[in-house]
Amino acid sequence: MPGRFDFMSLKGKITEDMKTAMRAKDSARLGAVRLLLAAMKQKEVDERIELTDADVLAIIDKMLKQRRESIAQFEKAGRTDLADAEKFEIGVLSAYLPQQLSDAEAAEAVAAAIKESGAAGPKDMAK
């Protein structure tokens, strides 16, 4: 039911991105998204589960690690064309990861938590 919820699951967003890439005839992006959808479907079938966003993020993280390893091997072998293809896929997959906090934002969140808990030192760590 479109419009019923203000959010879309990560799995739904990835499926919509596949359709968008198909309409745009963006074969490189379509290939990367289809690889991700295939990995997701494989996990669902193997484990007989419905994937949560956390499961999808774990799959993406694994795929990113594989691509980074491939890039190192391709560059070592002098295959920059294959390394570039893997780098493109990393860009597509990384777009689905949550935004990471900057160092300043993380420090600000920690300071706020310390202030809120009233902690004065390491002995107050449980707070």
Side-chain angles (χ1 to χ4, degrees), residues 25-119:
K25 297 185 182 352
D26 186 348
S27 60
R29 181 172 300 283
L30 179 60
V33 173
R34 280 187 170 159
L35 283 172
L36 175 55
L37 285 170
M40 291 165 47
K41 187 68 171 174
Q42 184 67 46
K43 184 165 180 92
E44 284 182 331
V45 169
D46 288 350
E47 297 182 17
R48 299 172 193 232
I49 59 170
E50 183 72 27
L51 294 178
T52 65
D53 282 355
D55 296 327
V56 174
L57 290 173
I59 291 169
I60 292 170
D61 192 46
K62 180 179 178 183
M63 291 178 75
L64 287 171
K65 182 179 178 197
Q66 290 169 339
R67 271 136 195 88
R68 287 185 191 106
E69 291 171 357
S70 296
I71 288 170
Q73 293 299 317
F74 289 145
E75 287 177 344
K76 188 176 179 182
R79 296 294 309 264
T80 56
D81 56 328
L82 296 175
D84 290 343
E86 295 290 314
K87 288 176 185 174
F88 177 80
E89 287 182 11
I90 283 177
V92 171
L93 295 171
S94 295
Y96 298 112
L97 295 176
Q99 287 287 79
Q100 293 191 355
L101 295 176
S102 69
D103 289 341
E105 291 170 325
E108 185 178 307
V110 169
I114 290 171
K115 183 178 179 181
E116 183 180 313
S117 70

